[in-house]
């Protein structure tokens, strides 16, 4: 039996927060990043929220220093500044098209996927098999002017994942997308209790985002550093590749007979899950975990990255609304969700200061007031995780039953 959460959906105090209207990048208040997050809670729960929020703020500052330092050299290059302004203008046509499929084009090539053993310290199912998967990505940039520069990242051209599969009949598959810099399979296996979902009857696919893990450049200072440090134009292409390569794995799962596929992801992976849900109509469920929804508003709340905003305004010759628009192409807030209403769920941390609760609140609005489960922890410390894992399991089973009934009708 699922335990009730300490924090109910209605305990989030949203009276002062904006109602989402489109285009969101123009109508979201300039001070959205600074708006407070408040919850109605008893003293014990309040202590948990406040304590974990303070821990998150300290850890966030360290990560912001790393990310800001990685992006700064390119931002200061005067020649690259003008080139970047010219490049980002290319993407306006795709944002104006009203259809995300025009930019996030389905794969047209089916590469051969190679399978290999997993490391001995990774999860080894007793009633199935675990494999590493990889293929040479056929992705090329949507913007031809960036093709040579993007393809120069040779290690990033090898897409990879880990796949846990039961023996016997194909099972529904849970696709998991990791967060920024948090790509190790062993970390996500333990952090998100993925073996528990496997034991609940789900096959599992752990997907590696571009420029992370084995896709990291040899000279990159840390895993994921090149994801955000190459300018807005390259960021658009990075998300295009993230979706493109993931779709090839999804096609593999369908070919192998998986009766249903759903996705979850944490932080940046939650953002990507939201984007994927606007593109893949046959996902049975989508469950972003502590997601962000507006990269620019997130950066505005991160010290010391927020100190670089005068430079961003200069480089792109625009205001905050314009900067939001530059990243709107891949925001989950921009496109309608294609997952059935009963397959949409959000997991949010009340003490999260990496991706504050107001981001989950906006996505909940955009997803037509979908289910949301708040836990009294932060971005990294998921207190009461057992409660939300059971809530996810029950929700996933209900979504699968709903999908099966819809197909039978």
């Amino acid at each position: 039996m699922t335990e009730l959460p300490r924090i109910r959906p209605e305990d989030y105090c949203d009276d002062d927060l904006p109602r989402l209207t489109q285009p969101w990048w123009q109508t979201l208040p300039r001070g959205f990043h600074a708006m407070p997050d408040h919850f109605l809670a008893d003293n014990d729960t309040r202590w948990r929220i406040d304590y974990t929020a303070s821990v998150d703020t300290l850890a966030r500052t360290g990560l912001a220093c790393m990310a800001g330092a990685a992006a700064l050299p390119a931002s200061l290059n005067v020649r690259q500044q003008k080139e970047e302004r010219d490049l980002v203008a290319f993407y306006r046509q795709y944002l104006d098209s009203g259809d995300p499929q025009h930019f996030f084009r389905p794969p047209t090539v089916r590469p051969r996927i190679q399978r290999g053993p997993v490391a001995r310290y990774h999860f080894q199912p007793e009633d199935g098999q675990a494999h590493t998967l990889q293929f040479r990505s056929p992705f090329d940039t949507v913007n031809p002017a960036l093709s040579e520069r993007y393809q120069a990242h040779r290690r990033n051209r090898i897409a990879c994942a880990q796949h846990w599969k039961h023996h016997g009949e194909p099972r529904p598959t849970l696709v998991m997308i990791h967060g920024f810099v948090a790509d190790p399979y062993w970390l996500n296996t333990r952090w998100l209790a993925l073996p528990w979902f496997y034991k609940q009857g789900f096959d599992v696919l752990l997907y590696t985002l571009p420029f992370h893990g084995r896709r990291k450049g040899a000279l990159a200072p840390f895993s994921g550093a090149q994801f955000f440090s190459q300018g807005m134009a390259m960021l658009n292409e990075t998300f295009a590749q993230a979706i493109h390569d993931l779709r090839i794995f999804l096609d593999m799962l369908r070919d192998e007979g998986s009766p249903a596929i759903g996705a979850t992801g944490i932080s940046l992976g939650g953002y990507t899950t939201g984007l994927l849900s606007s593109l893949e109509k046959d996902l049975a469920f989508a469950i972003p975990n502590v997601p962000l929804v507006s990269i620019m508003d997130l950066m505005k709340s991160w010290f010391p990255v927020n100190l670089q905003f005068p430079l961003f305004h200069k480089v792109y010759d625009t205001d905050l609304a314009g900067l939001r628009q530059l990243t709107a192409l891949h925001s989950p807030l921009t496109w309608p969700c294609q997952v059935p209403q009963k397959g949409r769920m959000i997991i949010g941390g009340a003490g999260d200061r990496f991706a504050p609760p107001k981001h989950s609140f906006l996505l909940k609005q955009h997803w037509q007031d979908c289910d949301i489960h708040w836990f009294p922890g932060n971005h990294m410390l998921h207190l009461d995780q057992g409660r939300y894992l059971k809530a996810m399991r029950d929700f996933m089973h209900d979504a699968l039953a709903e999908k099966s009934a819809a197909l039978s009708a």
Side-chain angles (χ1 to χ4, degrees):
M1 181 176 178
T2 303
E3 295 180 86
L4 294 176
R6 293 177 189 267
I7 307 170
R8 300 168 301 175
E10 60 269 25
D11 289 340
Y12 183 56
C13 302
D14 59 10
D15 292 345
D16 296 330
L17 290 173
R19 303 294 122 178
L20 189 68
T21 56
Q22 299 290 352
W24 66 267
W25 56 87
Q26 293 179 356
T27 58
L28 206 61
R30 287 184 58 204
F32 172 75
H33 68 281
M35 291 182 174
D37 290 294
H38 291 307
F39 288 86
L40 300 175
D42 58 38
N43 289 338
D44 180 57
T45 304
R46 168 59 52 197
W47 179 87
R48 293 166 185 260
I49 295 172
D50 292 344
Y51 170 74
T52 55
S54 63
V55 173
D56 237 17
T57 301
L58 291 173
R60 182 188 70 191
T61 301
L63 182 59
C65 288
M66 293 167 55
L72 196 58
S75 299
L76 293 175
N77 187 304
V78 176
R79 183 185 62 81
Q80 289 186 16
Q81 288 178 7
K82 184 181 185 306
E83 179 186 22
E84 178 71 7
R85 280 194 295 273
D86 294 338
L87 287 170
V88 294
F90 171 85
Y91 300 94
R92 178 68 66 84
Q93 59 185 310
Y94 296 100
L95 186 61
D96 293 343
S97 73
D99 184 355
Q101 304 286 358
H102 289 167
F103 180 74
F104 297 98
R105 302 167 181 171
T108 57
V109 177
R110 300 288 292 274
R112 185 172 71 89
I113 298 177
Q114 299 177 323
R115 287 172 168 79
V118 302
R120 294 182 62 183
Y121 59 88
H122 287 174
F123 177 65
Q124 306 279 352
E126 297 178 357
D127 58 343
Q129 295 179 324
H131 291 106
T132 58
L133 308 177
Q134 67 175 41
F135 61 84
R136 180 170 292 277
S137 174
F139 173 78
D140 198 5
T141 57
V142 181
N143 187 343
L146 283 171
S147 179
E148 182 177 353
R149 178 178 161 192
Y150 198 91
Q151 296 299 337
H153 295 285
R154 295 187 178 277
R155 295 179 65 175
N156 185 53
R157 290 160 64 179
I158 304 300
C160 49
Q162 190 174 103
H163 189 204
W164 310 343
K165 188 175 181 181
H166 289 82
H167 292 313
E169 292 295 319
R171 308 287 186 93
T173 304
L174 173 64
V175 175
M176 189 273 157
I177 310 172
H178 64 82
F180 179 53
V181 312
D183 57 88
Y185 297 134
W186 65 264
L187 172 64
N188 289 284
T189 295
R190 291 161 177 78
W191 189 8
L192 298 175
L194 296 179
W196 183 82
F197 282 108
Y198 180 86
K199 292 174 182 177
Q200 302 302 307
F202 291 90
D203 290 344
V204 177
L205 182 92
L206 294 83
Y207 174 62
T208 300
L209 289 167
F211 300 109
H212 284 80
R214 287 183 290 172
R215 309 183 75 169
K216 176 183 81 71
L219 299 180
F222 57 88
S223 179
Q226 296 161 309
F227 198 101
F228 289 105
S229 66
Q230 303 182 77
M232 301 296 183
M234 284 286 280
L235 181 60
N236 285 337
E237 300 293 351
T238 299
F239 274 110
Q241 184 183 26
I243 295 296
H244 175 277
D245 292 352
L246 179 53
R247 279 174 143 176
I248 290 176
F249 283 124
L250 296 183
D251 286 340
M252 177 206 76
L253 294 174
R254 296 182 185 105
D255 291 344
E256 293 182 353
S258 180
I261 302 170
T264 187
I266 188 163
S267 190
L268 176 61
Y271 183 92
T272 308
T273 299
L275 173 60
L276 182 69
S277 73
S278 68
L279 297 161
E280 291 290 313
K281 293 184 178 181
D282 70 343
L283 286 182
F285 55 83
I287 311 177
N289 193 323
V290 291
L292 59 140
V293 292
S294 171
I295 288 175
M296 283 299 155
D297 288 277
L298 190 75
M299 293 173 65
K300 285 282 284 185
S301 67
W302 283 29
F303 174 84
V305 171
N306 58 356
L307 300 180
Q308 295 185 23
F309 265 78
L311 180 59
F312 296 154
H313 292 307
K314 176 184 176 184
V315 170
Y316 295 101
D317 190 27
T318 189
D319 57 10
L320 177 58
L323 291 174
R324 288 170 175 162
Q325 186 175 15
L326 295 179
T327 58
L329 189 59
H330 43 75
S331 170
L333 298 181
T334 302
W335 312 108
C337 183
Q338 301 296 325
V339 175
Q341 183 67 30
K342 291 187 177 180
R344 308 173 190 179
M345 182 185 191
I346 301 168
I347 306 296
D352 193 335
R353 295 302 177 264
F354 274 84
K358 52 182 163 282
H359 284 252
S360 293
F361 170 72
L362 283 186
L363 185 59
K364 179 176 181 286
Q365 284 189 55
H366 185 56
W367 280 8
Q368 299 173 336
D369 200 32
C370 69
D371 283 11
I372 191 164
H373 182 108
W374 297 108
F375 63 87
N378 63 19
H379 203 70
M380 299 177 294
L381 185 59
H382 290 199
L383 303 181
D384 289 352
Q385 187 183 49
R387 299 189 188 198
Y388 84 60
L389 291 176
K390 292 174 183 176
M392 283 179 63
R393 175 200 60 195
D394 294 345
F395 181 85
M396 290 156 61
H397 282 309
D398 289 346
L400 291 175
E402 184 78 14
K403 182 177 177 64
S404 177
L407 292 174
S408 301

